[in-house]
Coordinates of all heavy atoms in Angstrom, one line a residue:
C41 N 12.5 -4.9 13.2 CA 12.2 -3.9 12.3 C 12.4 -4.5 10.9 O 13.3 -5.2 10.6 CB 13.3 -2.8 12.4 SG 13.4 -1.7 11.0
A43 N 12.9 -3.3 8.1 CA 13.9 -2.8 7.2 C 15.3 -3.2 7.6 O 16.1 -3.7 6.8 CB 13.9 -1.3 7.1
C44 N 15.7 -3.2 8.9 CA 17.1 -3.4 9.3 C 17.1 -4.7 10.2 O 18.3 -5.1 10.6 CB 17.7 -2.2 10.1 SG 17.0 -1.9 11.7
C54 N 12.0 0.6 13.0 CA 12.6 1.1 14.2 C 12.7 2.6 14.0 O 12.5 3.1 12.9 CB 13.9 0.4 14.5 SG 15.1 1.0 13.2
C57 N 15.2 3.7 11.2 CA 14.7 3.5 9.9 C 13.5 4.5 9.6 O 13.4 5.1 8.5 CB 14.2 2.1 9.6 SG 15.6 0.9 9.5
Ligands
LIG1 ZN1 15.3 -0.4 11.4

Side-chain angles (χ1 to χ4, degrees):
C41 168
C44 70
C54 69
C57 289

